[in-house]
Amino acid sequence: RHAAGQPVIGGAMQIETDSYWVLCDNLLSFTDTLASASAGERAYLPSFCLAVERELFEQAGGFDERFAGAAGEDIDLSMRLRGLGHSLQFEPALRVAHRPQRASARAVWQHQRGYGQMYYWVACEYPDLLSSPLARLPSWVGNLLLLGAPALALKDIGWLLLRCPAARARAGTLPGLIWGRIGWYAGIRQSLRKPA
């Protein structure tokens, strides 16, 4: 793909786990880059299977080390690559087995909360590239957002189930998916409470 002129290419995640919570976290975090997803352009690519030409990676500034843990640094890099005028292509034929250590309800909550915090930051930092209504939320909405998080999570998971065959095939994950998505909204609420 690089030889064909595509400087940024992301691969797919092959789900290979017996852990309920790892499965839930992977379905929540990587819906659009699972091995069952179609090839094509993406708004952002996860770094678990990402190839960027070295010169472009350096031009974009690499990964921002201010991101703590695994949550958001790849979305931030994706925005900077897009800002330089590059499309982000997903190719499901490139696959890795992603086996994070998030094998408990608490670990999934913490990861999704961190992901929500960083997603909000990236949405505010790059409003033209990651068009999200989250970037326009005033800070006073935080508590209302948390109160509405269960309903919002149900709506989001409904969309996830519609577009993700892997999630539909694992209907028993519904409680874990909702749990993790509520954690994501808790992370956004936490970011809303912090000054920009």
Side-chain angles (χ1 to χ4, degrees):
R1 294 296 294 260
H2 284 313
Q6 179 58 52
V8 183
I9 186 77
M13 182 184 51
Q14 183 79 33
I15 295 179
E16 294 179 9
T17 182
D18 293 328
S19 168
Y20 176 82
W21 291 109
V22 169
L23 176 62
C24 290
D25 192 62
N26 283 341
L27 289 172
L28 281 168
S29 301
F30 308 114
T31 304
D32 294 327
T33 52
L34 295 175
S36 59
S38 300
E41 189 171 354
R42 296 293 189 268
Y44 54 86
L45 294 169
S47 57
F48 64 75
C49 185
L50 178 66
V52 181
E53 291 179 352
R54 179 184 296 273
E55 183 179 317
L56 179 56
F57 184 78
E58 291 172 354
Q59 183 183 1
F63 289 112
D64 186 335
E65 295 182 15
R66 292 177 295 172
F67 286 87
E73 74 289 346
D74 41 15
I75 299 175
D76 175 64
L77 175 62
S78 292
M79 295 304 107
R80 287 184 276 121
L81 291 167
R82 285 180 55 205
L84 292 171
H86 297 279
S87 69
L88 309 178
Q89 295 296 317
F90 169 69
E91 176 51 65
L94 306 171
R95 297 180 181 185
V96 297
H98 187 246
R99 297 184 185 108
Q101 298 300 311
R102 296 182 280 274
S104 69
R106 181 174 186 228
V108 169
W109 178 275
Q110 289 174 335
H111 179 245
Q112 291 299 318
R113 187 189 68 214
Y115 184 44
Q117 287 176 297
M118 294 307 116
Y119 189 90
Y120 174 79
W121 183 87
V122 172
C124 291
E125 188 74 13
Y126 306 99
D128 297 335
L129 295 173
L130 189 64
S131 55
S132 171
L134 296 174
R136 298 184 298 274
L137 291 177
S139 60
W140 60 266
V141 171
N143 288 335
L144 292 175
L145 185 68
L146 196 56
L147 286 172
L152 291 167
L154 279 171
K155 175 193 69 73
D156 293 348
I157 299 308
W159 280 110
L160 183 149
L161 292 173
L162 283 175
R163 67 181 210 267
C164 181
R168 284 195 305 275
R170 294 166 170 90
T173 60
L174 188 60
L177 295 174
I178 293 168
W179 167 258
R181 194 59 173 184
I182 292 171
W184 187 80
Y185 280 108
I188 292 170
R189 175 190 178 257
Q190 192 169 349
S191 287
L192 281 166
R193 297 176 67 191
K194 294 179 180 175

